[in-house]
Amino acid sequence: MAADTNKFVIPIGPQHPALKEPANFEFWVDGEIVTGASVRLGYVHRGIEKGAEARTWTQNLYLMERICGICSHVHATAYTLGVEKLAGVKVPQRANAIRQLMAELERIHSHMLWLGVAAHEGGFDTLFMYSWRDRETVMDLLEKISGNKVHYSANLLGGVKFDITSELAAEIHKGLDFLEERNHFYMKVVTTDETFIGRTQDIGTMTTEKAEFLGAIGPTARASGVARDIRVDAPYLIYDQFPVKVMTHTSGDLHGRFIVRINETFESIRIIREILDHMPQGELTTRVPRRIPAGEVVSRVEAPRGELLYFIASNGSEKPERVKVRTPSLCNWSTVLSLAIGLKLADMPMLLSGIDPCFSCNDRSISLKRGQQGPQVWSWEKLRQYGIEYYR
Amino acid sequence: MASTIGSLGAAEAVLKPFAKAINRPQPERLEVSIHPDDLLAAVRALVDESWGYLSAIVGLDRPGQPVTQGESQAEGAIDVLYLFCSGAAVVTLRITLPYSQAAIPTISGITPTAMLYEWELREMLGVEVIGLRVTGHLILADDWPVGVYPLRKSFTGFNQPVAGAEGA
């Protein structure tokens, strides 16, 4: 990432029209062609890993869920799976099935959100509005199950909070039918629209070898032919009973990333239908001790953006010794910085959005509330009381 | 599971020459403690065998025990864990660095994905990564005080807004 000071540098961000989340990029250009790139993250770093050390195992479940507003469930799932492994607790199969169902609904909403963002960056705002309108269907389903559209909070340490009734199952089936039909339409647009293909084909191409060398993961890697998916490689929940097919593409370009994510949406729809039709019977929760036995554990899940890894260390107390979160977005940055070179500056927004970056993922408070009276530092208790009063 | 066991066995054979201790904390995990001087060779051996990929670098602060009367306080240490994954198998290279020698060589020359993780390790835990060719901050604010590492256990927050910080 060394800067060549003789080149013309275009700084983008941290506040800029191309992305709605803060990051600073510097592109060195020769005319229209990018010759170098660097990234500066951390604008929304909230100190969550540090915060976790001061909270109980249960409080942390809610904290981890707030790392990301898009894939909140998968963060909570990775955390609970790790804590349950440390505690030696076996969760009822019905709870695992509901966790998996929620995770795949979340993947659909995340991929459709990405489809809209990526289309918008390329100037295809009609596709953006269509996909976000249709995404409301899966958001509504998540709300019907949990009462929330974003932080569904389905997980508990030892199980789940919500059951899937036969009425809910019927509604989910109906919603999936609609989403499947719409995604067929998106696939048609993506693969036949001449201008869309012109903006995506052979742009940001990454070979299989390069994807592996740069450490790409998730759909970004799979679009370059890297058949790596934690749901298949190291099945968790009940992915061994309801396995998914790994969706790959060989083109390695932006176009391939669209095709892989839409195909993954179809696969999520298929797996949710299977779970609904063969939902295991049984309890929703089991008991987890308040103090977790000392030890260290690695918990890996496949988030919508790729492998999400939690390293959790317990000292045997009510609070964790360390929670380390390695999110998928962090892995894919190096691919962007490498692929940018040689492309036109105008391709940068789509290239950036092509990896489906999530800044909440990267930047995990030290917050200063600004007001008329100048800066104030609020204690956790004061913030909590403020929240209670605000929503009273 | 058979392939996971085979995969861990292959990694163990590769890493045995560098191992100070080997254990299996979970069926799918192999943990190998190594000396900091052997880090590059051990990582090189895994990469040359095409064994998996670097998935994360974790830093763990382990402060010295509190002073008891008549005894001097033990020096604290940082454990640096390099997590390599292949399928379901996870191999951890564990290095323990006393506070006074909290420095390791960069492995980004062997596996470039390490660069961001090493940068984070340096910034958040104060482990010097020798040969890491980046300067400045990755995550923390530009005006974050020098020598304050937020993921060290000794850091418990600022009682007062930092002088000169934005908004102060």
Side-chain angles (χ1 to χ4, degrees), chain A residues 58-344:
Chain A
T58 304
Q59 287 173 328
N60 275 320
L61 175 58
Y62 300 94
L63 184 64
M64 294 308 147
E65 207 165 48
R66 274 147 186 82
I67 286 178
C68 183
I70 302 171
C71 53
S72 63
H73 176 75
V74 82
H75 276 275
T77 302
Y79 174 76
T80 49
L81 287 173
V83 176
E84 286 158 5
K85 200 186 271 188
L86 274 176
V89 166
K90 198 167 161 47
V91 172
Q93 282 297 71
R94 190 175 179 86
N96 275 332
I98 293 170
R99 283 177 177 175
Q100 185 166 323
L101 181 140
M102 295 292 285
E104 294 307 320
L105 283 173
E106 183 174 76
R107 196 177 314 277
I108 295 172
H109 110 70
S110 180
H111 280 4
M112 290 181 73
L113 178 140
W114 171 82
L115 179 67
V117 172
H120 168 69
E121 301 302 353
F124 304 98
D125 275 7
T126 309
L127 180 58
F128 154 57
M129 288 178 196
Y130 272 170
S131 75
W132 277 38
R133 180 198 66 186
D134 298 339
R135 174 173 159 266
E136 286 297 310
T137 304
V138 67
M139 302 286 279
D140 288 344
L141 291 176
L142 287 161
E143 188 182 14
K144 277 176 184 159
I145 296 168
S146 68
N148 284 302
K149 280 189 169 190
V150 178
H151 288 115
Y152 343 109
S153 242
N155 279 302
L156 286 170
L157 292 178
V160 289
K161 285 182 199 158
F162 312 112
D163 201 1
I164 303 291
T165 61
S166 53
E167 293 79 24
L168 263 178
E171 289 205 46
I172 296 170
H173 272 301
K174 198 174 151 194
L176 292 179
D177 291 344
F178 172 75
L179 290 166
E180 188 176 41
E181 183 196 324
R182 294 304 297 164
N183 273 280
H184 278 300
F185 169 70
Y186 300 142
M187 186 60 105
K188 189 177 164 197
V189 171
V190 164
T191 51
T192 59
D193 186 278
E194 203 174 313
T195 49
F196 193 91
I197 292 170
R199 286 298 312 267
T200 56
Q201 219 162 48
D202 297 327
I203 303 289
T205 305
M206 181 165 59
T207 62
T208 308
E209 295 72 28
K210 192 160 191 178
E212 284 182 343
F213 181 71
L214 293 172
I217 56 172
T220 307
R222 291 193 282 273
S224 289
V226 180
R228 197 180 284 162
D229 188 323
I230 303 300
R231 294 174 295 171
V232 175
D233 298 339
Y236 52 98
L237 298 176
I238 52 171
Y239 281 108
D240 52 347
Q241 292 172 44
F242 298 97
V244 292
K245 294 189 198 94
V246 182
M247 291 297 158
T248 57
H249 204 264
T250 50
S251 67
D253 55 5
L254 264 176
H255 194 239
R257 286 165 220 162
F258 275 88
I259 290 171
V260 161
R261 285 194 178 91
I262 296 174
N263 276 332
E264 286 188 3
T265 306
F266 287 129
E267 188 61 4
S268 292
I269 291 171
R270 183 186 70 76
I271 216 75
I272 294 167
R273 283 179 178 146
E274 264 194 43
I275 293 172
L276 287 174
D277 293 344
H278 304 92
M279 179 71 82
Q281 296 302 312
E283 298 294 318
L284 293 183
T285 58
T286 190
R287 196 174 160 71
V288 174
R290 209 171 59 177
R291 293 171 189 271
I292 301 298
E296 294 174 354
V297 74
V298 175
S299 177
R300 298 158 70 209
V301 297
E302 187 72 21
R305 289 162 187 75
E307 178 187 346
L308 169 67
L309 185 145
Y310 270 61
F311 174 90
I312 305 170
S314 172
N315 53 19
S317 74
E318 292 176 10
K319 295 173 182 172
E321 175 74 11
R322 176 91 166 94
V323 180
K324 164 73 189 171
V325 185
R326 203 279 288 126
T327 59
S329 292
L330 198 61
C331 301
N332 284 328
W333 277 124
S334 53
T335 68
V336 170
L337 300 177
S338 172
L339 296 175
I341 295 164
L343 291 181
K344 288 181 182 157

Side-chain angles (χ1 to χ4, degrees), chain A residues 366-379:
Chain A
I366 294 177
S367 61
L368 297 171
K369 180 178 164 54
R370 291 176 201 219
Q372 299 265 319
Q373 305 85 8
Q376 304 165 30
V377 177
W378 283 26
S379 67

Side-chain angles (χ1 to χ4, degrees), chain B residues 6-126:
Chain B
S7 193
L8 289 176
E12 188 171 346
V14 168
L15 295 171
K16 212 163 192 171
F18 313 105
K20 288 200 300 186
I22 296 178
N23 69 71
R24 296 261 177 119
Q26 275 117 27
E28 75 285 2
R29 285 184 63 205
L30 171 77
E31 186 171 295
V32 182
S33 297
I34 61 170
H35 192 274
D37 292 345
D38 291 329
L39 174 65
L40 290 177
V43 172
R44 170 65 67 194
L46 279 177
V47 170
D48 285 349
E49 279 292 309
S50 301
W51 197 97
Y53 56 97
L54 178 71
S55 195
I57 298 177
V58 181
L60 283 177
D61 185 20
R62 296 197 290 109
Q65 294 303 307
V67 180
T68 55
Q69 222 169 9
E71 287 179 19
S72 60
Q73 184 174 6
E75 187 185 13
I78 309 273
D79 278 4
V80 183
L81 281 59
Y82 296 79
L83 303 181
F84 288 83
C85 299
S86 174
V90 181
V91 166
T92 306
L93 296 177
R94 182 185 285 262
I95 289 177
T96 301
L97 303 167
Y99 284 165
S100 56
Q101 297 166 53
I104 41 161
T106 178
I107 61 165
S108 58
I110 304 170
T111 171
T113 49
M115 192 265 283
L116 284 173
Y117 308 147
E118 289 178 335
W119 201 350
E120 187 180 354
L121 181 75
R122 182 173 79 187
E123 194 163 296
M124 304 301 277
L125 277 147

